[in-house]
Amino acid sequence: MDILMIGGGLAGLAAALDLAGRGHQVAVVERKHYPFHKVCGEYVSNEVLPYLRRLGADPAALAPAAINTFLLSSPGGRCLTAPLDLGGFGVSRFALDDFLYRLAQARGVTFYLKNTVTDVAYDPATDQHRVALADGRELTARVVLGTYGKRANLDRQLQRTFSPSARPTSA
Ligand SMILES: Cc1cc2nc3c(=O)[nH]c(=O)nc-3n(C[C@H](O)[C@H](O)[C@H](O)COP(=O)(O)OP(=O)(O)OC[C@H]3O[C@@H](n4cnc5c(N)ncnc54)[C@H](O)[C@@H]3O)c2cc1C
């Protein structure tokens, strides 16, 4: 295959849709099975709408709630409001990720679900990456994208220098 994404969150799914749309053979390895819940504020800025539409993934299909006002409330019930210049929409990650997954699947992206990438090694002899899965299988891909979010075990396994050893603490 041409390109493999490690992780099928928003980054992996958007990249898969984009690259499949450009004619590449694409696969995604995702640890979970869609649909799944994710801790997230679930506010998406309208800034991303043109890109999602270009991917043929207009979230209007999910009937999201339009959000145009910022509201700050105190425990005593006092509220401050301010208009949001650009605005955005509210949609659950459960629905949004599943929506992008189904579109990607319909456009020929191959998914390896409930599977975890445990190692990646580049083989210069074949100009391919060898990608090890937790179930013992090995996949090969010319290009591998690490779309597995922040602070994944894989960063330690690959000895990425930018991988933080601990979460930042507040003063
Ligand atoms: C509490 C909280 C609230 C937030 N609220 C908002 C908000 O309101 N609006 C907003 O825009 N953003 C918000 N964010 C940020 C947003 O969630 C992230 O920017 C976004 O999820 C990043 O997408 P991603 O695809 O890079 O990573 P993720 O969405 O984390 O996806 C990574 C995927 O990779 C998979 N994975 C990881 N390791 C492996 C592996 N080795 N093999 C296979 N699969 C693997 C995981 O299962 C996961 O599905 C919030 C974040 C948090 C923590």
Side-chain angles (χ1 to χ4, degrees):
M1 100 201 33
D2 298 332
I3 307 167
L4 183 135
M5 319 296 159
I6 307 174
L10 292 179
L13 291 168
L17 278 169
D18 199 327
L19 293 164
R22 292 167 198 266
H24 298 287
Q25 220 191 335
V26 179
V28 177
V29 182
E30 168 52 50
R31 192 166 49 192
K32 300 180 187 156
H33 199 292
Y34 303 96
F36 55 86
H37 289 285
K38 177 139 196 128
V39 177
C40 186
E42 303 185 334
Y43 169 80
V44 185
S45 168
N46 281 336
E47 201 175 358
V48 301
L49 273 181
Y51 181 61
L52 288 176
R53 286 179 179 146
R54 209 162 67 234
L55 295 180
D58 192 336
L62 299 171
I67 300 175
N68 302 307
T69 308
F70 173 79
L71 186 150
L72 178 68
S73 63
S74 76
R78 292 179 61 197
C79 293
L80 289 174
T81 59
L84 290 171
D85 285 347
L86 197 54
F89 56 94
V91 63
S92 83
R93 290 289 300 273
F94 187 85
L96 182 59
D97 291 30
D98 190 51
F99 171 64
L100 297 175
Y101 158 64
R102 287 168 188 274
L103 283 177
Q105 214 185 21
R107 292 183 199 165
V109 174
T110 304
F111 281 85
Y112 298 87
L113 301 180
K114 287 190 87 108
N115 224 319
T116 302
V117 171
T118 54
D119 200 10
V120 183
Y122 175 65
D123 179 0
T126 57
D127 190 26
Q128 294 276 327
H129 292 83
R130 296 149 71 97
V131 179
L133 303 187
D135 69 1
R137 277 186 287 176
E138 184 178 90
L139 306 174
T140 56
R142 195 163 51 81
V143 175
V144 173
L145 300 190
T147 52
Y148 45 80
K150 279 169 84 179
R151 297 190 184 91
N153 288 339
L154 207 48
D155 279 330
R156 271 193 294 278
Q157 168 75 17
L158 297 174
Q159 299 175 334
R160 310 290 288 267
T161 51
F162 58 80
S163 177
S165 55
R167 287 172 189 273
T169 53
S170 54

